[in-house]
Amino acid sequence: MTARVLIIAGSDSGGGAGIQADIKAVTMLGGHAMTAITAITAQNTLGVQAVHAVPTDMILAQIDSVASDLGVDAIKIGMIGSAETAAAVAERLSQPDLAQAALVFDPVMVATSGSVLADSATIDAFRALLDRAMVATPNLPELDALGGEEAVLAHGCSLLVKGGHAEGATVIDRLLETGEGEVARWEAPRIETKHSHGTGCTLASAIACGLAQGMPLEPAIARARDFVRLSLLDAPGLGAGHGPMGQQYVRNDGLFTGPALNQITLPASDYAASVAFYKQMGLKQIVDSPDNGYARFEAANGVTLSIHVEKDVGDGVAGGATAYLESGALDAWVAYLARRGVRFEQMPKDEEWGWREARLADPAGNRLCLYQAGEYRRYPPWRI
């Protein structure tokens, strides 16, 4: 069944953050996005010019309408609008028809441009939503406004401490649990771009979508992080300020446990002729390495095809084809297969090009590579 995600948040007329970013994230990850809009904003990449709060009764009416007909598997809360709305929404979400839905609370207080989106009374009222939440996803300034890590954990929810506002070349995100402290962390190189509007909204909605699809919290966060990073890399560069990300361009880049058939490498004997042929076929070349006899092409849906002139074969005869099956949980997949008698020529190994690979052959001798690449499938260091 399609995962149903209710998003309670404000509208961004520029399409970069808020409801618009939420819908894009949930849709691209295979869920069905439903909304209860808390505020209408006039904003663009330069800032927020005006805010019109939606009356609390209307927000509740939207929630009731969705819950009574479509049903809700997970909920994401972003910009809430007022203390009155925060209290009313928390009370509504505790009712039996919504009490079992996983809640991701992204306590939006300040826009990327610096515009204040929550006053002190509203921030105080966030406590009721923290009591109901499965996980809270504040950025560092928002976490400080909420009283710090222990103050949030005291509500019994998990806490994802996001490192995007910290200094340094590495972004560190930490998942904390009440009574356990840090249970997981993720580290990745900082992506330097001003087109990062909507990162928090996108992350929280992507997590909510994963939870709605039945994923445990930690892998839901891991997939959501990859989705955000790929969206940053795909940002279209719109606007003069903090522009929107490129959620619409993200493809199946390891955002699943797999397996998925994502690449075929074909033998070639004439590098230039094969490159020209596949360009003529309408594929986009993303790797050009004539010294290695290797070129890679991408189709419109993100699937890739490679050609390889294997110089060590001799007599100008090209080697065989290799099929690449991708997984977001390679080691667990390989271990499962090995326990059931599948023999591997190479167990999972980190390769210098950023992939983790295992290799084997099928009963007919055809070559297979099982791999995990994450954000490096479409953006390897050697991509042109």
Side-chain angles (χ1 to χ4, degrees):
M1 184 175 180
T2 299
R4 302 159 297 180
V5 182
L6 171 60
I7 303 152
I8 305 172
S11 171
D12 173 0
S13 59
I19 287 287
Q20 286 80 355
D22 298 322
I23 293 173
K24 285 187 280 187
V26 171
T27 301
M28 293 303 296
L29 289 171
H32 175 67
M34 305 166 291
T35 64
I37 298 176
T38 60
I40 301 169
T41 68
Q43 65 175 293
N44 51 30
T45 67
L46 299 174
V48 180
Q49 292 80 45
V51 178
H52 176 72
V54 174
T56 300
D57 288 348
M58 183 58 189
I59 296 169
L60 296 177
Q62 294 174 78
I63 296 172
D64 291 341
S65 179
V66 167
S68 65
D69 177 35
L70 299 166
V72 178
D73 299 307
I75 303 162
K76 180 263 176 148
I77 296 179
M79 179 183 177
I80 202 65
S82 69
E84 176 190 0
T85 295
V89 168
E91 171 63 24
R92 178 64 186 87
L93 298 186
S94 67
Q95 299 303 308
D97 60 336
L98 292 173
Q100 300 305 312
L103 173 59
V104 179
F105 181 33
D106 183 31
V108 175
M109 301 177 192
V110 180
T112 304
S113 61
S115 301
V116 176
L117 300 177
D119 58 23
S120 58
T122 302
I123 295 171
D124 288 341
F126 283 169
R127 295 189 183 93
L129 294 171
L130 290 170
D131 288 338
R132 170 64 179 81
M134 172 185 284
V135 60
T137 62
N139 60 34
L140 294 179
E142 290 164 348
L143 181 58
D144 287 341
L146 292 171
E149 295 176 5
E150 294 303 320
V152 173
L153 292 171
H155 291 272
C157 63
S158 302
L159 170 63
L160 179 63
V161 181
K162 302 182 298 189
H165 283 68
E167 299 294 330
T170 300
V171 176
I172 301 175
D173 298 329
R174 302 159 51 234
L175 178 62
L176 309 181
E177 300 283 358
T178 303
E180 298 184 41
E182 183 179 309
V183 296
R185 74 161 48 200
W186 297 266
E187 300 184 15
R190 186 178 298 277
I191 298 172
E192 297 293 346
T193 176
K194 70 175 184 177
H195 299 290
S196 59
H197 192 39
T199 48
C201 305
T202 299
L203 179 69
S205 284
I207 295 171
C209 187
L211 296 174
Q213 292 166 331
M215 298 175 67
L217 179 58
E218 187 174 329
I221 292 172
R223 184 183 73 164
R225 291 184 70 263
D226 282 345
F227 184 82
V228 169
R229 291 180 62 79
L230 289 164
S231 298
L232 286 169
L233 291 167
D234 273 325
L238 302 177
H242 296 284
M245 299 188 296
Q247 296 95 331
Q248 64 271 29
Y249 298 118
V250 177
R251 298 297 182 259
N252 291 332
D253 294 271
L255 303 179
F256 44 78
T257 55
L261 178 60
N262 274 345
Q263 178 171 304
I264 297 289
T265 296
L266 299 175
S269 56
D270 185 321
Y271 182 84
S274 290
V275 168
F277 174 80
Y278 283 108
K279 284 184 176 179
Q280 186 178 29
M281 293 291 291
L283 300 181
K284 176 184 177 183
Q285 187 174 9
I286 61 172
V287 176
D288 182 20
S289 184
D291 291 342
N292 296 315
Y294 183 81
R296 190 166 163 206
F297 306 86
E298 187 173 61
N301 62 350
V303 175
T304 59
L305 179 146
S306 301
I307 59 108
H308 190 198
V309 178
E310 298 190 38
K311 299 178 181 179
D312 58 346
V313 174
D315 299 325
V317 179
T322 303
Y324 287 76
L325 298 174
E326 184 177 7
S327 172
L330 176 67
D331 289 62
W333 183 26
V334 169
Y336 171 85
L337 294 173
R339 287 196 300 270
R340 283 153 181 79
V342 177
R343 300 183 63 180
F344 286 84
E345 299 168 4
Q346 174 183 304
M347 295 301 284
K349 173 186 173 184
D350 291 329
E351 305 288 1
E352 61 182 355
W353 46 88
W355 290 13
R356 185 167 176 79
E357 296 185 356
R359 293 182 175 270
L360 71 161
D362 72 4
N366 298 304
R367 293 186 292 184
L368 294 174
C369 175
L370 313 186
Y371 74 105
Q372 182 171 341
E375 67 187 80
Y376 290 110
R377 185 168 77 83
R378 293 186 71 212
Y379 291 93
W382 28 262
R383 179 185 171 103
I384 61 173

